Amino acid sequence: MKLQLALDELPLEEALEFVEKVEAYIDIIEIGTPLIISEGMRGVRSFKERFPEKEVLSDEKIMDGGYFESELAFNAGAEYVTVLGVTDILTAKECLKAAGNFNKQIVADMICVEDLPKKINELEEIGVHVLAVHTGADQQAGGRTPIDDLKIMKKFARKAKIAVAGGINSKTIHQYVELNPDIIIVGTGITKAEDPVKEAKYIKEAISNREGV
């Protein structure tokens, strides 16, 4: 089980400095969509150069131009690129074609997917590497959490790895590790914590303890 840190709102230099503080506890650095919009592939390159031993995810949430947009991130050093699960299956296939050429991975972000079992089947059929349960910030503000969708994902996914994101922190982490996803994604739970290092350490220990069971 890997811990992925989502970096969305911090400016690039602050984000780089922040990761230096918590790098011992994280496995994947996510260059979040706001940071991608702000910095583009410079953001991906900067993190890969500063933290070459860490995996990097470019959270592009691709909706069209699957091959070209995936290629941009892979050329910049990303190990993972995200495509939206709600997009056309042809776009997801183009993302996968790029991933195959670079020996990298595609993550399907399932935000706003209405029929999860059907979409899980479609995406697994074409070989998507990771399916990501994602409750967005605006949905969280409305009181929604990812836990129910994660349960559905665990029930229906047969091939792909599973990631989960959406308001996870040290108070809720145990609910998620019990369901044993492959990747747990935490953003503001760490970046806005009173003590980010302590928070990251606690979350990573919760993951490690579950794996040791």
Side-chain angles (χ1 to χ4, degrees):
M1 206 181 307
K2 294 182 178 181
L3 176 56
Q4 178 172 314
L5 175 65
L7 299 163
D8 291 317
E9 300 173 11
L10 292 173
L12 180 57
E13 288 306 318
E14 287 184 30
L16 287 162
E17 291 173 7
F18 185 89
V19 172
E20 287 184 349
K21 300 174 185 177
V22 299
E23 65 174 309
Y25 307 110
I26 61 173
D27 304 293
I28 303 170
I29 301 169
E30 174 187 330
I31 319 305
T33 310
L35 193 50
I36 289 289
I37 291 170
S38 174
E39 297 289 346
M41 293 303 102
R42 174 173 173 257
V44 175
R45 289 190 187 92
S46 296
F47 278 95
K48 196 60 187 177
E49 289 169 4
R50 183 81 66 92
F51 307 99
E53 76 288 356
K54 298 294 183 184
E55 293 183 306
V56 171
L57 179 143
S58 180
D59 190 20
E60 296 176 37
K61 294 187 175 71
I62 294 172
M63 192 69 178
D64 191 20
Y67 190 96
F68 178 69
E69 294 184 9
S70 297
E71 184 181 43
L72 288 173
F74 294 139
N75 274 325
E79 279 75 26
Y80 306 88
V81 175
T82 60
V83 63
L84 286 174
V86 294
T87 195
D88 189 89
I89 201 71
L90 294 175
T91 297
K93 285 181 177 180
E94 287 298 305
C95 293
L96 285 166
K97 187 186 296 184
N101 288 342
F102 285 86
N103 195 27
K104 304 296 185 180
Q105 298 187 52
I106 295 298
V107 179
D109 185 327
M110 306 293 267
I111 190 170
C112 295
V113 169
E114 293 185 358
D115 189 339
L116 273 175
K118 179 181 178 183
K119 183 58 70 172
I120 289 166
N121 182 63
E122 289 177 357
L123 292 170
E124 287 198 322
E125 280 287 312
I126 64 169
V128 162
H129 305 93
V130 184
L131 299 169
V133 176
H134 184 191
T135 299
D138 296 334
Q139 294 172 319
Q140 292 173 47
R144 188 172 177 181
T145 73
I147 197 75
D148 290 332
D149 287 345
L150 177 57
K151 290 175 181 177
I152 293 171
M153 191 82 80
K154 290 292 292 186
K155 180 178 179 181
F156 288 95
R158 296 290 180 266
K159 305 172 187 175
K161 290 177 285 187
I162 296 173
V164 58
I168 300 169
N169 55 44
S170 61
K171 295 182 177 64
T172 61
I173 184 64
H174 296 285
Q175 301 175 51
Y176 294 93
V177 297
E178 284 300 314
L179 293 169
N180 202 33
D182 298 281
I183 301 168
I184 290 180
I185 305 166
V186 182
T188 56
I190 292 174
T191 62
K192 292 189 175 181
E194 184 175 340
D195 186 337
V197 176
K198 183 178 179 181
E199 184 81 359
K201 183 174 185 288
Y202 183 92
I203 291 170
K204 185 63 174 178
E205 286 176 348
I207 291 171
S208 299
N209 290 339
R210 170 60 183 172
E211 290 178 325
V213 172

